[in-house]
């Protein structure tokens, strides 16, 4: 890949504030920058997946440092943190934006809450460049323990499933573990693909007017509080 083009996938932005003191301290603790490219990618992926709980912040687009400080996030916010940490250790990555059907949340909140959730929600995943291949990291959206707790409730099967936080093609082949290949956990519920962007900031610039209709594609504050109450109860102690 052209080196000039590659640089675009390493830039800092207001949302990807990778030189914030908290992200610097996190790398100093884990020393991801000292590992080989695949190891640092795997370790950062697993950190964001498992350390950042699944929940809905007041707004989906937050600077990476705020996501880290909050300790929870949904696909967009977790993707922002994942990108910032990857770029801090010089791993090129890009942002892929979507709209996702709310059916992946079926079975988590009570019906009165579920009915009020917008039909389509903003969604995203990160794609990292490793060994000249773009690898999808959607599996970082849900913590491993959360996935396994939810999957245990579902009768074994090989078909598609949307619900309990999952949107998967094959129930008996959940692709959230790092193997150096694509990971997925909600892609089966994706309805609209907005394509890839150098950074989430650029995605906002292009689709800003549409994304400003926040009640259309994201729950309101009162609904978020109720939804997070149900999600918090599902996270293993």
């Amino acid at each position: 890949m052209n080196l000039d083009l590659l640089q675009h996938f390493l830039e800092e932005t207001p949302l990807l504030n990778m030189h914030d003191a908290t992200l610097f301290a996190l790398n100093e603790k884990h020393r991801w920058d000292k590992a080989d490219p695949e190891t640092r990618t795997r370790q950062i992926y697993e950190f964001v997946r498992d350390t950042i709980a699944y929940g809905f912040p007041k707004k989906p687009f937050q600077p990476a440092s705020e996501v880290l400080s909050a300790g929870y996030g949904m696909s967009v916010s977790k993707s922002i943190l994942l990108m910032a940490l990857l770029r801090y250790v010089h791993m090129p990555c890009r942002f892929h934006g979507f709209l996702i059907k709310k059916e992946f949340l079926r079975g988590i909140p009570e019906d009165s809450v579920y009915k009020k959730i917008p039909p389509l929600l903003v969604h995203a995943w990160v794609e990292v460049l490793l060994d000249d291949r773009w690898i999808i990291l959607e599996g970082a959206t849900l913590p491993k323990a959360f996935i396994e707790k939810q999957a245990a409730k579902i009768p074994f099967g090989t078909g598609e499933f949307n619900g309990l936080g999952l949107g998967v093609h094959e129930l008996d082949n959940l692709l959230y573990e790092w193997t150096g290949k694509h990971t997925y956990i909600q892609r089966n519920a994706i309805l609209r693909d907005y394509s890839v962007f150098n950074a989430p900031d650029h995605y906002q610039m292009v689709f800003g007017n549409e994304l400003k209709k926040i009640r259309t594609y994201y729950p309101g504050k009162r609904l978020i509080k109720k939804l997070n109450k149900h999600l918090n109860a599902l996270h293993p102690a």
Side-chain angles (χ1 to χ4, degrees), residues 162-212:
N162 286 327
L164 301 177
L166 309 174
V168 297
H169 290 321
E170 297 176 285
L171 273 172
D172 61 348
N173 187 29
L174 298 177
L175 304 174
Y176 60 90
E177 293 282 20
W178 173 263
T179 63
K181 299 179 181 179
H182 300 322
T183 66
Y184 297 106
I185 206 62
Q186 294 175 348
R187 67 167 171 165
N188 197 56
I190 289 173
L191 182 66
R192 187 181 304 171
D193 187 341
Y194 283 125
S195 193
V196 294
F197 295 82
N198 293 350
D201 311 66
H202 303 148
Y203 174 59
Q204 280 190 297
M205 288 174 61
V206 174
F207 293 102
N209 289 334
E210 185 169 0
L211 292 172
K212 284 178 182 177

Side-chain angles (χ1 to χ4, degrees), residues 118-180:
L120 297 177
L121 299 169
V122 290
H123 180 62
W125 68 45
V126 175
E127 298 174 8
V128 62
L129 187 63
L130 184 63
D131 296 329
D132 296 322
R133 294 181 300 122
W134 287 107
I135 299 175
I136 294 167
L137 302 179
E138 191 197 29
T141 299
L142 299 176
K144 178 179 179 179
F146 181 96
I147 295 169
E148 293 176 348
K149 183 177 181 179
Q150 296 304 90
K153 301 175 183 178
I154 307 168
F156 182 81
T158 59
E160 299 180 0
F161 183 81
N162 286 327
L164 301 177
L166 309 174
V168 297
H169 290 321
E170 297 176 285
L171 273 172
D172 61 348
N173 187 29
L174 298 177
L175 304 174
Y176 60 90
E177 293 282 20
W178 173 263
T179 63

Side-chain angles (χ1 to χ4, degrees), residues 212-223:
K212 284 178 182 177
K213 302 173 185 177
I214 200 68
R215 290 183 180 272
T216 305
Y217 300 121
Y218 201 69
K221 291 181 180 180
R222 291 183 180 179
L223 190 56

Side-chain angles (χ1 to χ4, degrees), residues 12-160:
E12 184 167 21
T13 69
L15 290 175
L16 303 178
N17 58 339
M18 60 190 188
H19 289 107
D20 181 87
T22 57
L23 274 67
F24 170 81
L26 191 62
N27 180 68
E28 287 295 295
K29 176 181 178 180
H30 295 280
R31 298 314 322 201
W32 292 317
D33 58 329
K34 300 299 182 184
D36 63 85
E38 180 167 355
T39 300
R40 71 179 68 168
T41 302
R42 174 182 60 79
Q43 290 179 345
I44 291 173
Y45 166 78
E46 292 176 350
F47 173 85
V48 173
R49 183 191 68 190
D50 298 332
T51 305
I52 306 301
Y54 185 67
F56 285 75
K58 292 181 180 179
K59 54 184 180 179
F61 290 87
Q62 300 173 295
S65 59
E66 291 184 14
V67 180
L68 180 62
S69 176
Y72 71 97
M74 38 74 77
S75 62
V76 174
S77 43
K78 292 187 75 167
S79 291
I80 290 170
L81 176 59
L82 179 56
M83 287 188 71
L85 292 173
L86 288 170
R87 290 190 179 189
Y88 185 84
V89 297
H90 308 293
M91 294 302 302
C93 54
R94 63 191 186 188
F95 183 90
H96 201 144
F98 305 91
L99 289 181
I100 191 171
K101 296 180 288 185
K102 73 172 182 179
E103 277 74 12
F104 78 97
L105 288 171
R106 188 185 299 276
I108 291 180
E110 57 195 27
D111 287 345
S112 60
V113 174
Y114 179 79
K115 289 177 181 178
K116 295 178 181 178
I117 298 173
L120 297 177
L121 299 169
V122 290
H123 180 62
W125 68 45
V126 175
E127 298 174 8
V128 62
L129 187 63
L130 184 63
D131 296 329
D132 296 322
R133 294 181 300 122
W134 287 107
I135 299 175
I136 294 167
L137 302 179
E138 191 197 29
T141 299
L142 299 176
K144 178 179 179 179
F146 181 96
I147 295 169
E148 293 176 348
K149 183 177 181 179
Q150 296 304 90
K153 301 175 183 178
I154 307 168
F156 182 81
T158 59
E160 299 180 0

